């Protein structure tokens, strides 16, 4: 299913031309328009799913295999030193476009890509609470 008002539906399905690194019947992999680093790419499913909560099991299974293939190839092409594979779900998590996408962010020694979080301690209270409810 496509969403008429979704820009990523249009990009994924070729209705808006974009820099495409790879395409198959399920996905298009494009260059991010505002890259965190040179070669920052996005894996877009051609069908509209808002985020990982909604993604079909079939596509969810395929996407990590594709991510693996892409970063192996792109590490060679870009001569980068590592990769962040990032996927945001919900506004609070930094999602700004509500069509599932997976970020492939090449990392270069000495780059200043700002990904990360402040580390805290896992408390016994939180641990017990979570383990008792899962
Ligand atoms: P997120 O914050 O996880 O929702 O990521 C959305 C990403 O989409 C950002 O990295 C944007 O730079 C990127 N983006 C938004 N519009 C376009 C577009 N038209 N073409 C390519 N990338 C885009
Ligand atoms: Zn969409």
């Amino acid at each position: 299913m496509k969403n008429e008002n979704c820009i990523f539906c249009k990009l994924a399905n070729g209705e808006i031309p974009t820099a495409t690194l790879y395409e198959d019947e399920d996905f298009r992999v494009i260059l991010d328009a505002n890259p965190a680093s040179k070669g920052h790419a996005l894996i877009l499913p051609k069908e509209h799913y808002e985020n990982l909560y909604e993604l079909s099991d079939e596509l969810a299974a395929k996407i990590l295999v594709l991510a693996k293939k892409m970063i192996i190839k792109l590490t060679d092409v870009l001569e980068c030193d590592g990769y962040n594979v990032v996927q945001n779900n919900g506004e609070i998590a930094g999602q700004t476009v509500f069509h599932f996408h997976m970020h492939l962010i090449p990392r270069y020694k000495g780059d200043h890509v700002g990904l990360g979080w402040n580390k805290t301690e896992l408390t016994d209270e939180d641990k017990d609470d979570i383990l008792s409810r899962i």
Side-chain angles (χ1 to χ4, degrees):
M1 205 175 70
K2 318 284 185 284
N3 181 329
E4 294 281 307
N5 302 314
C6 173
I7 183 156
F8 276 13
C9 279
K10 294 185 170 67
L11 291 167
N13 291 282
E15 288 169 42
I16 298 175
T18 189
T20 297
L21 302 178
Y22 172 86
E23 183 183 4
D24 63 23
E25 62 178 1
D26 297 313
F27 301 103
R28 183 184 295 263
V29 183
I30 69 168
L31 288 177
D32 195 293
N34 298 107
S37 64
K38 182 178 175 183
H40 180 170
L42 301 171
I43 302 180
L44 310 180
K46 292 186 174 181
E47 293 291 316
H48 183 87
Y49 298 93
E50 190 166 312
N51 51 36
L52 186 56
Y53 295 101
E54 291 191 355
L55 193 67
S56 73
D57 287 358
E58 190 194 354
L59 288 185
K62 287 179 178 174
I63 200 159
L64 198 60
V65 176
L66 177 56
K68 177 184 165 182
K69 282 187 185 144
M70 291 304 304
I71 71 165
I72 289 172
K73 175 73 179 170
L74 286 167
T75 296
D76 192 34
V77 168
L78 297 167
E79 300 184 46
C80 60
D81 302 302
Y83 251 95
N84 289 113
V85 177
V86 180
Q87 200 274 308
N88 301 325
N89 298 281
E91 207 175 335
I92 187 66
Q95 187 176 7
T96 59
V97 180
F98 293 88
H99 173 125
F100 177 96
H101 50 282
M102 183 173 273
H103 296 263
L104 307 177
I105 303 175
R107 300 302 303 270
Y108 302 89
K109 283 187 186 121
D111 72 27
H112 293 97
V113 174
L115 291 171
W117 52 86
N118 297 322
K119 294 186 182 210
T120 64
E121 289 291 325
L122 175 62
T123 64
D124 286 341
E125 193 187 358
D126 281 352
K127 184 171 62 183
D128 293 345
D129 177 44
I130 293 162
L131 294 182
S132 71
R133 288 195 284 137
I134 194 79

